[in-house]
Amino acid sequence: MSKPPTVFIIDDDPAVRDALGLLLRAGGLSVDTFASAAEFLAADAARQPGCVVLDVRMPGMSGLELQKQLQTQGNRIPIIFMTGHGDVPMAIRAMKAGAFDFIEKPFQGEMLRARIHEALELDSRERRRQTLRADAAARMARLSPREREVLDRVAMGQYNKVIAAELGISLSTVEIHRKRVMEKVQAESLSDLIRMLALLNNTG
């Protein structure tokens, strides 16, 4: 069985870590805690399914600096920031940088749990999308350069006769290439083919 999504709590205050851990585990969530951003990065935990509940102000690497580091790594795990300072410019900066949410201490436990569940759902959808995208890319990589040329023109809505004329090949050759494209990428229909391309182009 795959490991359940984990809520990663990062806060330099052990009392906060313990309290949040108890609250979330009581709600049936899997929780892992870290005393610093550096500790979290060293564990390479962000590669796992889940979300991050992160204190903004911490000794060493701040929460915002960790957010930037994760983005540099191409990691899109949802981040819920916590602060006891009500720093609005900091909140705006965090949200513009892609934070899932920004909440002020003290906060209601139920509200936090609700936002965490939403963040976990978002992470699950995004990871599934990444898996589908990688699968589509692997299938497309099976195509020859000529098959890819035919595919690109099919995706543009061109008729076989037009494709044949543009590429300087016979109509029957275009039809053979189209058939091979469908077989290699394992597409059931033209709409399947278009969906794969849209996924790779990040448009749907």
Side-chain angles (χ1 to χ4, degrees):
M1 293 178 63
S2 59
K3 187 176 180 180
T6 301
V7 182
F8 301 105
I9 300 170
I10 310 172
D11 197 302
D12 61 298
D13 186 337
V16 171
R17 295 197 304 273
D18 291 345
L20 286 178
L22 286 171
L23 172 70
L24 300 180
R25 290 187 182 100
L29 292 166
S30 176
V31 177
D32 201 355
T33 62
F34 299 89
S36 69
E39 184 181 319
F40 175 73
L41 288 173
D44 204 22
R47 293 183 183 275
Q48 302 174 39
C51 71
V52 174
V53 178
L54 174 63
D55 191 21
V56 172
R57 298 179 185 272
M58 293 184 292
M61 183 182 292
S62 72
L64 292 175
E65 289 170 338
L66 173 60
Q67 180 188 34
K68 186 176 180 179
Q69 179 69 28
L70 290 174
Q71 289 175 336
T72 300
Q73 296 174 358
N75 193 299
R76 300 173 63 180
I77 188 168
I79 296 175
I80 298 174
F81 278 101
M82 303 180 293
T83 182
H85 303 277
D87 192 326
V88 175
M90 189 179 293
I92 293 172
R93 179 181 166 192
M95 297 302 285
K96 282 186 175 180
F100 181 79
D101 205 351
F102 190 104
I103 58 177
E104 289 186 71
K105 302 173 185 174
F107 43 78
Q108 293 294 322
E110 285 303 315
M111 181 270 288
L112 176 62
R113 276 198 292 232
R115 295 301 284 154
I116 285 174
H117 279 294
E118 291 170 16
L120 292 177
E121 289 173 9
L122 173 65
D123 183 67
S124 178
R125 289 195 302 270
E126 180 57 30
R127 288 177 187 274
R128 174 169 170 75
R129 184 180 180 84
Q130 289 174 356
T131 299
L132 292 173
R133 188 180 294 120
D135 180 62
R139 294 185 189 190
M140 291 295 174
R142 301 170 187 164
L143 302 179
S144 68
R146 177 63 88 187
E147 288 165 351
R148 185 63 201 230
E149 286 180 324
V150 171
L151 169 59
D152 290 341
R153 285 164 173 77
V154 169
M156 292 167 58
Q158 292 184 353
Y159 293 109
N160 286 356
K161 289 182 179 180
V162 175
I163 296 173
E166 284 197 359
L167 297 181
I169 57 180
S170 69
L171 180 60
S172 61
T173 301
V174 172
E175 291 170 347
I176 291 171
H177 282 316
R178 284 192 64 154
K179 182 180 179 182
R180 286 177 178 168
V181 167
M182 298 294 284
E183 290 173 349
K184 285 186 176 181
V185 304
Q186 300 175 325
E188 298 278 337
S189 63
L190 179 59
S191 61
D192 275 353
L193 210 55
I194 300 303
R195 275 195 292 271
M196 285 186 201
L197 288 172
L199 191 62
L200 290 172
N201 294 328
N202 208 24
T203 58

